PDB file of all heavy atoms in Angstrom:
ATOM      1  N   ARG A   1      79.352  82.867 124.269  1.00  0.00           N
ATOM      2  CA  ARG A   1      80.667  82.348 124.657  1.00  0.00           C
ATOM      3  C   ARG A   1      80.952  81.028 123.963  1.00  0.00           C
ATOM      4  O   ARG A   1      82.091  80.750 123.568  1.00  0.00           O
ATOM      5  CB  ARG A   1      80.743  82.160 126.176  1.00  0.00           C
ATOM      6  CG  ARG A   1      82.163  81.860 126.666  1.00  0.00           C
ATOM      7  CD  ARG A   1      82.214  81.542 128.134  1.00  0.00           C
ATOM      8  NE  ARG A   1      81.719  80.205 128.443  1.00  0.00           N
ATOM      9  CZ  ARG A   1      82.417  79.076 128.266  1.00  0.00           C
ATOM     10  NH1 ARG A   1      83.644  79.127 127.758  1.00  0.00           N
ATOM     11  NH2 ARG A   1      81.898  77.906 128.578  1.00  0.00           N
ATOM     12  N   ILE A   2      79.912  80.204 123.823  1.00  0.00           N
ATOM     13  CA  ILE A   2      80.060  78.918 123.131  1.00  0.00           C
ATOM     14  C   ILE A   2      78.930  78.764 122.123  1.00  0.00           C
ATOM     15  O   ILE A   2      77.888  79.412 122.237  1.00  0.00           O
ATOM     16  CB  ILE A   2      80.055  77.732 124.113  1.00  0.00           C
ATOM     17  CG1 ILE A   2      78.720  77.676 124.871  1.00  0.00           C
ATOM     18  CG2 ILE A   2      81.236  77.805 125.080  1.00  0.00           C
ATOM     19  CD1 ILE A   2      78.556  76.447 125.747  1.00  0.00           C
ATOM     20  N   ALA A   3      79.140  77.901 121.155  1.00  0.00           N
ATOM     21  CA  ALA A   3      78.110  77.618 120.152  1.00  0.00           C
ATOM     22  C   ALA A   3      77.281  76.421 120.593  1.00  0.00           C
ATOM     23  O   ALA A   3      77.814  75.450 121.143  1.00  0.00           O
ATOM     24  CB  ALA A   3      78.753  77.348 118.802  1.00  0.00           C
ATOM     25  N   ALA A   4      75.979  76.500 120.356  1.00  0.00           N
ATOM     26  CA  ALA A   4      75.069  75.395 120.652  1.00  0.00           C
ATOM     27  C   ALA A   4      74.612  74.784 119.332  1.00  0.00           C
ATOM     28  O   ALA A   4      74.104  75.491 118.449  1.00  0.00           O
ATOM     29  CB  ALA A   4      73.873  75.884 121.442  1.00  0.00           C
ATOM     30  N   THR A   5      74.791  73.473 119.196  1.00  0.00           N
ATOM     31  CA  THR A   5      74.391  72.756 117.981  1.00  0.00           C
ATOM     32  C   THR A   5      73.446  71.631 118.364  1.00  0.00           C
ATOM     33  O   THR A   5      73.718  70.870 119.297  1.00  0.00           O
ATOM     34  CB  THR A   5      75.617  72.176 117.258  1.00  0.00           C
ATOM     35  OG1 THR A   5      76.478  73.248 116.852  1.00  0.00           O
ATOM     36  CG2 THR A   5      75.194  71.384 116.031  1.00  0.00           C
ATOM     37  N   LEU A   6      72.336  71.527 117.646  1.00  0.00           N
ATOM     38  CA  LEU A   6      71.352  70.487 117.913  1.00  0.00           C
ATOM     39  C   LEU A   6      71.473  69.366 116.890  1.00  0.00           C
ATOM     40  O   LEU A   6      71.303  69.586 115.685  1.00  0.00           O
ATOM     41  CB  LEU A   6      69.936  71.056 117.867  1.00  0.00           C
ATOM     42  CG  LEU A   6      69.603  72.181 118.841  1.00  0.00           C
ATOM     43  CD1 LEU A   6      68.119  72.547 118.733  1.00  0.00           C
ATOM     44  CD2 LEU A   6      69.966  71.816 120.265  1.00  0.00           C
ATOM     45  N   ALA A   7      71.785  68.174 117.382  1.00  0.00           N
ATOM     46  CA  ALA A   7      71.713  66.958 116.556  1.00  0.00           C
ATOM     47  C   ALA A   7      70.521  66.174 117.082  1.00  0.00           C
ATOM     48  O   ALA A   7      70.651  65.167 117.775  1.00  0.00           O
ATOM     49  CB  ALA A   7      73.004  66.162 116.658  1.00  0.00           C
ATOM     50  N   THR A   8      69.339  66.677 116.757  1.00  0.00           N
ATOM     51  CA  THR A   8      68.089  66.143 117.297  1.00  0.00           C
ATOM     52  C   THR A   8      67.097  65.924 116.156  1.00  0.00           C
ATOM     53  O   THR A   8      67.458  66.031 114.980  1.00  0.00           O
ATOM     54  CB  THR A   8      67.480  67.128 118.319  1.00  0.00           C
ATOM     55  OG1 THR A   8      67.075  68.328 117.617  1.00  0.00           O
ATOM     56  CG2 THR A   8      68.477  67.492 119.409  1.00  0.00           C
ATOM     57  N   GLY A   9      65.854  65.668 116.501  1.00  0.00           N
ATOM     58  CA  GLY A   9      64.801  65.558 115.506  1.00  0.00           C
ATOM     59  C   GLY A   9      64.206  66.899 115.124  1.00  0.00           C
ATOM     60  O   GLY A   9      63.219  66.948 114.385  1.00  0.00           O
ATOM     61  N   ILE A  10      64.785  67.991 115.602  1.00  0.00           N
ATOM     62  CA  ILE A  10      64.337  69.347 115.241  1.00  0.00           C
ATOM     63  C   ILE A  10      64.987  69.729 113.913  1.00  0.00           C
ATOM     64  O   ILE A  10      66.202  69.592 113.741  1.00  0.00           O
ATOM     65  CB  ILE A  10      64.710  70.342 116.359  1.00  0.00           C
ATOM     66  CG1 ILE A  10      63.999  69.944 117.656  1.00  0.00           C
ATOM     67  CG2 ILE A  10      64.330  71.762 115.968  1.00  0.00           C
ATOM     68  CD1 ILE A  10      64.445  70.731 118.882  1.00  0.00           C
ATOM     69  N   SER A  11      64.202  70.214 112.975  1.00  0.00           N
ATOM     70  CA  SER A  11      64.645  70.402 111.594  1.00  0.00           C
ATOM     71  C   SER A  11      65.667  71.527 111.456  1.00  0.00           C
ATOM     72  O   SER A  11      65.765  72.413 112.311  1.00  0.00           O
ATOM     73  CB  SER A  11      63.442  70.723 110.706  1.00  0.00           C
ATOM     74  OG  SER A  11      62.964  72.038 110.987  1.00  0.00           O
ATOM     75  N   PRO A  12      66.445  71.521 110.345  1.00  0.00           N
ATOM     76  CA  PRO A  12      67.389  72.622 110.092  1.00  0.00           C
ATOM     77  C   PRO A  12      66.696  73.979 110.041  1.00  0.00           C
ATOM     78  O   PRO A  12      67.220  74.969 110.561  1.00  0.00           O
ATOM     79  CB  PRO A  12      67.994  72.256 108.727  1.00  0.00           C
ATOM     80  CG  PRO A  12      67.798  70.792 108.594  1.00  0.00           C
ATOM     81  CD  PRO A  12      66.533  70.462 109.322  1.00  0.00           C
ATOM     82  N   HIS A  13      65.509  74.030 109.417  1.00  0.00           N
ATOM     83  CA  HIS A  13      64.781  75.294 109.330  1.00  0.00           C
ATOM     84  C   HIS A  13      64.395  75.803 110.720  1.00  0.00           C
ATOM     85  O   HIS A  13      64.559  76.987 111.031  1.00  0.00           O
ATOM     86  CB  HIS A  13      63.521  75.107 108.478  1.00  0.00           C
ATOM     87  CG  HIS A  13      62.598  76.299 108.511  1.00  0.00           C
ATOM     88  ND1 HIS A  13      62.872  77.471 107.835  1.00  0.00           N
ATOM     89  CD2 HIS A  13      61.400  76.506 109.173  1.00  0.00           C
ATOM     90  CE1 HIS A  13      61.895  78.339 108.057  1.00  0.00           C
ATOM     91  NE2 HIS A  13      61.012  77.780 108.861  1.00  0.00           N
ATOM     92  N   ALA A  14      63.910  74.895 111.566  1.00  0.00           N
ATOM     93  CA  ALA A  14      63.528  75.294 112.922  1.00  0.00           C
ATOM     94  C   ALA A  14      64.744  75.750 113.719  1.00  0.00           C
ATOM     95  O   ALA A  14      64.656  76.706 114.494  1.00  0.00           O
ATOM     96  CB  ALA A  14      62.834  74.132 113.631  1.00  0.00           C
ATOM     97  N   CYS A  15      65.891  75.105 113.525  1.00  0.00           N
ATOM     98  CA  CYS A  15      67.114  75.518 114.228  1.00  0.00           C
ATOM     99  C   CYS A  15      67.520  76.928 113.821  1.00  0.00           C
ATOM    100  O   CYS A  15      67.905  77.742 114.669  1.00  0.00           O
ATOM    101  CB  CYS A  15      68.243  74.533 113.952  1.00  0.00           C
ATOM    102  SG  CYS A  15      68.070  72.956 114.814  1.00  0.00           S
ATOM    103  N   ARG A  16      67.468  77.207 112.529  1.00  0.00           N
ATOM    104  CA  ARG A  16      67.806  78.565 112.082  1.00  0.00           C
ATOM    105  C   ARG A  16      66.863  79.584 112.696  1.00  0.00           C
ATOM    106  O   ARG A  16      67.278  80.681 113.108  1.00  0.00           O
ATOM    107  CB  ARG A  16      67.750  78.643 110.556  1.00  0.00           C
ATOM    108  CG  ARG A  16      68.907  77.945 109.849  1.00  0.00           C
ATOM    109  CD  ARG A  16      68.959  78.322 108.372  1.00  0.00           C
ATOM    110  NE  ARG A  16      67.757  77.889 107.663  1.00  0.00           N
ATOM    111  CZ  ARG A  16      67.620  76.700 107.089  1.00  0.00           C
ATOM    112  NH1 ARG A  16      68.609  75.808 107.148  1.00  0.00           N
ATOM    113  NH2 ARG A  16      66.512  76.379 106.446  1.00  0.00           N
ATOM    114  N   LYS A  17      65.589  79.243 112.758  1.00  0.00           N
ATOM    115  CA  LYS A  17      64.587  80.166 113.283  1.00  0.00           C
ATOM    116  C   LYS A  17      64.817  80.495 114.748  1.00  0.00           C
ATOM    117  O   LYS A  17      64.567  81.622 115.188  1.00  0.00           O
ATOM    118  CB  LYS A  17      63.187  79.571 113.091  1.00  0.00           C
ATOM    119  CG  LYS A  17      62.049  80.496 113.472  1.00  0.00           C
ATOM    120  CD  LYS A  17      60.698  79.864 113.157  1.00  0.00           C
ATOM    121  CE  LYS A  17      59.562  80.797 113.548  1.00  0.00           C
ATOM    122  NZ  LYS A  17      58.228  80.195 113.255  1.00  0.00           N
ATOM    123  N   ILE A  18      65.304  79.519 115.503  1.00  0.00           N
ATOM    124  CA  ILE A  18      65.488  79.746 116.942  1.00  0.00           C
ATOM    125  C   ILE A  18      66.932  80.117 117.289  1.00  0.00           C
ATOM    126  O   ILE A  18      67.288  80.194 118.460  1.00  0.00           O
ATOM    127  CB  ILE A  18      65.049  78.524 117.768  1.00  0.00           C
ATOM    128  CG1 ILE A  18      65.861  77.284 117.383  1.00  0.00           C
ATOM    129  CG2 ILE A  18      63.548  78.293 117.619  1.00  0.00           C
ATOM    130  CD1 ILE A  18      65.555  76.053 118.220  1.00  0.00           C
ATOM    131  N   ASN A  19      67.763  80.330 116.262  1.00  0.00           N
ATOM    132  CA  ASN A  19      69.097  80.890 116.483  1.00  0.00           C
ATOM    133  C   ASN A  19      70.078  79.887 117.088  1.00  0.00           C
ATOM    134  O   ASN A  19      70.898  80.238 117.939  1.00  0.00           O
ATOM    135  CB  ASN A  19      69.016  82.142 117.366  1.00  0.00           C
ATOM    136  CG  ASN A  19      70.288  82.972 117.342  1.00  0.00           C
ATOM    137  OD1 ASN A  19      70.976  83.045 116.324  1.00  0.00           O
ATOM    138  ND2 ASN A  19      70.607  83.585 118.473  1.00  0.00           N
ATOM    139  N   VAL A  20      69.992  78.626 116.653  1.00  0.00           N
ATOM    140  CA  VAL A  20      71.000  77.633 117.036  1.00  0.00           C
ATOM    141  C   VAL A  20      71.444  76.886 115.780  1.00  0.00           C
ATOM    142  O   VAL A  20      70.763  76.905 114.754  1.00  0.00           O
ATOM    143  CB  VAL A  20      70.473  76.627 118.085  1.00  0.00           C
ATOM    144  CG1 VAL A  20      70.146  77.323 119.385  1.00  0.00           C
ATOM    145  CG2 VAL A  20      69.271  75.856 117.558  1.00  0.00           C
ATOM    146  N   SER A  21      72.600  76.225 115.876  1.00  0.00           N
ATOM    147  CA  SER A  21      73.127  75.485 114.736  1.00  0.00           C
ATOM    148  C   SER A  21      72.488  74.100 114.658  1.00  0.00           C
ATOM    149  O   SER A  21      71.972  73.578 115.641  1.00  0.00           O
ATOM    150  CB  SER A  21      74.649  75.352 114.849  1.00  0.00           C
ATOM    151  OG  SER A  21      75.263  76.631 114.859  1.00  0.00           O
ATOM    152  N   TYR A  22      72.570  73.517 113.466  1.00  0.00           N
ATOM    153  CA  TYR A  22      71.979  72.196 113.219  1.00  0.00           C
ATOM    154  C   TYR A  22      73.058  71.223 112.774  1.00  0.00           C
ATOM    155  O   TYR A  22      73.970  71.567 112.011  1.00  0.00           O
ATOM    156  CB  TYR A  22      70.906  72.292 112.141  1.00  0.00           C
ATOM    157  CG  TYR A  22      70.397  70.948 111.645  1.00  0.00           C
ATOM    158  CD1 TYR A  22      69.402  70.265 112.343  1.00  0.00           C
ATOM    159  CD2 TYR A  22      70.931  70.358 110.493  1.00  0.00           C
ATOM    160  CE1 TYR A  22      68.944  69.027 111.899  1.00  0.00           C
ATOM    161  CE2 TYR A  22      70.470  69.122 110.037  1.00  0.00           C
ATOM    162  CZ  TYR A  22      69.477  68.465 110.747  1.00  0.00           C
ATOM    163  OH  TYR A  22      69.032  67.246 110.312  1.00  0.00           O
ATOM    164  N   SER A  23      72.951  69.990 113.247  1.00  0.00           N
ATOM    165  CA  SER A  23      73.783  68.898 112.745  1.00  0.00           C
ATOM    166  C   SER A  23      72.871  67.695 112.535  1.00  0.00           C
ATOM    167  O   SER A  23      72.036  67.381 113.393  1.00  0.00           O
ATOM    168  CB  SER A  23      74.890  68.551 113.749  1.00  0.00           C
ATOM    169  OG  SER A  23      75.682  67.478 113.270  1.00  0.00           O
ATOM    170  N   ASP A  24      73.001  67.043 111.404  1.00  0.00           N
ATOM    171  CA  ASP A  24      72.146  65.906 111.077  1.00  0.00           C
ATOM    172  C   ASP A  24      72.493  64.730 111.996  1.00  0.00           C
ATOM    173  O   ASP A  24      73.607  64.195 111.934  1.00  0.00           O
ATOM    174  CB  ASP A  24      72.364  65.502 109.622  1.00  0.00           C
ATOM    175  CG  ASP A  24      71.393  64.425 109.166  1.00  0.00           C
ATOM    176  OD1 ASP A  24      70.674  63.858 110.018  1.00  0.00           O
ATOM    177  OD2 ASP A  24      71.368  64.144 107.953  1.00  0.00           O
ATOM    178  N   PRO A  25      71.566  64.308 112.875  1.00  0.00           N
ATOM    179  CA  PRO A  25      71.898  63.223 113.794  1.00  0.00           C
ATOM    180  C   PRO A  25      72.172  61.904 113.078  1.00  0.00           C
ATOM    181  O   PRO A  25      72.901  61.053 113.603  1.00  0.00           O
ATOM    182  CB  PRO A  25      70.647  63.121 114.683  1.00  0.00           C
ATOM    183  CG  PRO A  25      69.549  63.733 113.891  1.00  0.00           C
ATOM    184  CD  PRO A  25      70.189  64.811 113.073  1.00  0.00           C
ATOM    185  N   SER A  26      71.604  61.727 111.864  1.00  0.00           N
ATOM    186  CA  SER A  26      71.848  60.477 111.135  1.00  0.00           C
ATOM    187  C   SER A  26      73.285  60.384 110.653  1.00  0.00           C
ATOM    188  O   SER A  26      73.768  59.302 110.304  1.00  0.00           O
ATOM    189  CB  SER A  26      70.887  60.356 109.951  1.00  0.00           C
ATOM    190  OG  SER A  26      71.160  61.360 108.981  1.00  0.00           O
ATOM    191  N   GLY A  27      73.970  61.522 110.633  1.00  0.00           N
ATOM    192  CA  GLY A  27      75.373  61.524 110.230  1.00  0.00           C
ATOM    193  C   GLY A  27      76.315  61.208 111.367  1.00  0.00           C
ATOM    194  O   GLY A  27      77.539  61.168 111.178  1.00  0.00           O
ATOM    195  N   ILE A  28      75.755  61.008 112.566  1.00  0.00           N
ATOM    196  CA  ILE A  28      76.555  60.672 113.736  1.00  0.00           C
ATOM    197  C   ILE A  28      76.285  59.206 114.071  1.00  0.00           C
ATOM    198  O   ILE A  28      75.134  58.809 114.261  1.00  0.00           O
ATOM    199  CB  ILE A  28      76.199  61.566 114.932  1.00  0.00           C
ATOM    200  CG1 ILE A  28      76.461  63.035 114.585  1.00  0.00           C
ATOM    201  CG2 ILE A  28      76.990  61.163 116.173  1.00  0.00           C
ATOM    202  CD1 ILE A  28      76.021  64.004 115.666  1.00  0.00           C
ATOM    203  N   ASN A  29      77.329  58.435 114.130  1.00  0.00           N
ATOM    204  CA  ASN A  29      77.195  57.012 114.437  1.00  0.00           C
ATOM    205  C   ASN A  29      77.132  56.828 115.947  1.00  0.00           C
ATOM    206  O   ASN A  29      78.117  57.072 116.650  1.00  0.00           O
ATOM    207  CB  ASN A  29      78.384  56.232 113.869  1.00  0.00           C
ATOM    208  CG  ASN A  29      78.232  54.731 114.066  1.00  0.00           C
ATOM    209  OD1 ASN A  29      77.331  54.266 114.775  1.00  0.00           O
ATOM    210  ND2 ASN A  29      79.106  53.961 113.433  1.00  0.00           N
TER     211      ASN A  29
END
């Protein structure tokens, strides 16, 4: 129903593996 995106210390590769989206937390002020 909704998308889940992680802006955490979990890597982009790990996010893809577990079926969630990734956002670089360093790009968020």
Side-chain angles (χ1 to χ4, degrees):
R1 190 186 75 78
I2 61 173
T5 298
L6 301 185
T8 67
I10 298 172
S11 71
H13 171 74
C15 286
R16 287 193 297 271
K17 186 176 180 180
I18 60 176
N19 195 33
V20 296
S21 299
Y22 170 83
S23 179
D24 186 350
S26 66
I28 300 175
N29 185 351

